[in-house]
C-alpha cells in the first residue's frame, strides 16, 4: 500500500513532467521579473501547443522534465533568434511590445513556428545559455561578506556552468554595491544595481584566480556565438545586450579561463589540487543548479563536504557561493556556506533575475 510520502513524490514528478504546467510556471516567472514580452511569447506557444508540426509535437511530448530543462525558454530563444536574424519580420512589432501585436501574439507566433520549423528544432537540443554579467554582483558581494567574517580576502574562484565565461571576468568589471565601490578604473563595464538594504562590508577583495567549466562552452570571440547568446536574452532588458557586447570585447582582449567539462568532475578535480595558504577557495555558480540533475548535485555536494572535512582550515578555507532560483517564490536567492564554520547556508539576499536590483539582508 502506498504511503503519503510516496504519493506526494509521484504527484510532484507528474507536475514536473507536465509541459503545460512548466510553461505556465515560466510565464509567471517572466512576469515576476519584468519581462512581459517574453511572457506573452511563451503564452502564445502554450496557446498553440496542440497544433500540427514536428516542433510542437516535440515540445508537447517532451521526454525530460520541462521545468528543469527550461523547455519554454528554449522555445522563446528560437523565436527570438528568428527575430534577431531578420528571418521573421512579422515578429518585429511583437518584440517591440506593440499593443496590437501583443494582442495578436498567438497568431503571429503560430505562423512563425509553422514556417520555420527546421530552424527552430535545434533550439530544443540544449538548455538556455543565460550568461549574465549583471549577476556578478553576487560573487563580489558574497566575497566581501566572507572577508568581513575573517576569511582571507584573497579568493580563488571555481565556477560551474560558466557558459561563455562572462562571470569569469568579474575582476575586470567595476561595481557600485549600495555605495561600496570596487574594480579597475578602465573596467570593461560598470555594474550598479538598485541596492535595497544595508551595503555589503567594506572589506577588500583580491581575485587570485578564476576558472570555470561548462559542458558546452561558448566562445565569446565568435560573433555567431554572441548572437546565439543574445537570443537567450529577454528583449525587454536592453541593457543586457550592451553588457554582452562589452563582455565579448573583454574576451577578445583576454579569454576567460574556461574548459569543457562536467560540473561534478571539474569540482572534484579542482578540490583535489593544492590550495595556497592565505587564499579562500570558493565554488561559485549562478542559475545553473537546476540544470545539473539530482545525481550531479549530490556528487558536487559530497565533494564539497569531503574537502571541507579533510582540508579546510583558517589559512585555507573553503566557501560556496550560489545565486539560484527558489522555484517556490521565483526569487533569485544568494546563499553562502563556509568552512571552517558550520557549513550551513546563509541567505544574504535576493535579487532581480539579471541584477537590476538587489535586496540585501546580511
Amino acid at each position: 500500500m502506498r504511503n503519503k510520502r510516496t504519493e506526494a513524490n509521484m504527484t510532484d514528478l507528474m507536475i514536473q513532467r507536465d509541459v503545460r504546467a512548466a510553461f505556465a510556471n515560466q510565464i509567471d516567472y517572466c512576469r515576476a521579473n519584468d519581462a512581459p514580452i517574453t511572457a506573452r511569447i511563451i503564452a502564445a506557444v502554450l496557446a498553440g501547443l496542440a497544433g500540427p508540426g514536428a516542433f510542437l509535437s516535440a515540445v508537447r511530448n517532451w521526454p525530460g522534465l520541462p521545468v528543469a530543462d527550461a523547455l519554454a525558454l528554449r522555445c522563446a530563444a528560437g523565436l527570438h533568434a528568428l527575430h534577431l536574424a531578420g528571418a521573421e519580420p512579422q515578429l518585429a512589432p511583437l518584440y517591440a511590445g506593440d499593443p496590437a501585436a501583443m494582442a495578436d501574439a498567438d497568431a503571429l507566433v503560430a505562423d512563425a513556428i509553422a514556417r520555420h520549423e527546421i530552424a527552430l528544432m535545434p533550439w530544443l537540443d540544449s538548455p538556455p545559455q543565460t550568461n549574465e554579467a549583471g549577476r556578478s554582483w553576487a560573487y563580489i558581494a558574497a566575497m566581501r561578506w566572507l572577508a568581513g567574517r575573517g576569511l582571507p580576502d584573497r579568493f580563488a574562484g571555481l565556477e560551474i556552468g560558466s557558459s561563455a565565461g562572462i562571470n569569469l571576468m568579474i575582476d575586470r568589471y567595476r561595481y557600485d554595491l549600495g555605495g561600496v565601490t570596487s574594480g579597475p578604473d578602465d573596467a570593461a563595464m560598470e555594474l550598479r544595481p538598485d541596492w535595497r538594504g544595508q551595503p555589503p562590508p567594506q572589506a577588500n577583495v583580491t581575485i587570485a584566480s578564476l576558472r570555470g567549466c561548462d559542458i558546452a562552452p561558448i566562445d565569446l570571440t565568435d560573433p555567431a556565438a554572441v548572437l546565439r547568446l543574445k537570443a537567450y536574452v529577454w528583449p525587454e532588458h536592453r541593457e543586457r545586450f550592451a553588457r554582452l557586447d562589452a563582455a565579448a570585447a573583454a574576451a577578445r582582449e583576454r579569454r576567460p579561463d574556461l574548459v569543457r567539462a562536467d560540473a561534478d568532475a571539474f569540482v572534484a578535480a579542482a578540490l583535489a589540487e593544492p590550495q595556497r595558504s592565505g587564499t579562500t577557495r570558493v565554488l561559485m555558480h549562478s542559475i545553473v543548479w537546476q540544470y545539473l540533475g539530482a545525481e550531479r548535485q549530490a556528487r558536487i555536494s559530497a565533494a564539497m563536504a569531503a574537502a571541507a572535512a579533510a582540508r579546510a582550515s583558517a589559512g585555507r578555507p573553503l566557501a560556496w557561493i550560489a545565486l539560484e532560483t527558489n522555484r517556490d517564490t521565483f526569487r533569485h536567492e544568494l546563499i553562502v556556506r563556509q568552512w571552517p564554520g558550520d557549513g550551513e547556508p546563509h541567505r544574504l539576499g535576493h535579487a532581480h533575475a539579471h541584477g537590476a536590483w538587489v535586496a540585501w539582508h546580511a
Side-chain angles (χ1 to χ4, degrees), residues 25-181:
N25 180 71
Q26 188 62 58
I27 292 166
D28 288 341
Y29 183 79
C30 290
R31 289 172 177 162
N33 285 281
D34 309 314
I37 296 171
T38 305
R40 185 65 186 94
I41 289 166
I42 293 172
V45 178
L46 177 59
L49 198 57
F55 180 79
L56 292 173
S57 177
V59 173
R60 63 175 175 263
N61 295 302
W62 191 252
L65 302 177
V67 172
D69 295 340
L71 178 59
L73 291 180
R74 299 185 192 206
C75 297
L79 289 162
H80 196 193
L82 293 178
H83 164 64
L84 291 175
E88 188 48 73
Q90 292 185 80
L91 291 178
L94 179 55
Y95 280 100
D98 176 76
M102 292 282 277
D104 199 30
D106 290 359
L108 291 172
V109 168
D111 187 51
I113 290 173
R115 292 191 294 109
H116 295 279
E117 278 200 313
I118 293 175
L120 289 171
M121 287 297 288
W123 289 90
L124 298 179
D125 293 340
S126 58
Q129 294 275 12
T130 53
N131 208 194
E132 173 50 54
R135 295 174 183 148
S136 65
W137 72 266
Y139 293 166
I140 296 298
M143 289 177 186
R144 286 185 174 275
W145 182 80
L146 288 164
R149 287 167 64 88
L151 273 66
D153 60 10
R154 181 180 173 86
F155 289 85
L158 303 168
E159 189 187 41
I160 56 174
S162 297
S163 185
I166 288 175
N167 288 314
L168 290 174
M169 299 188 290
I170 58 175
D171 54 338
R172 303 189 225 174
Y173 308 153
R174 185 159 182 82
Y175 305 87
D176 184 336
L177 307 181
V180 175
T181 60

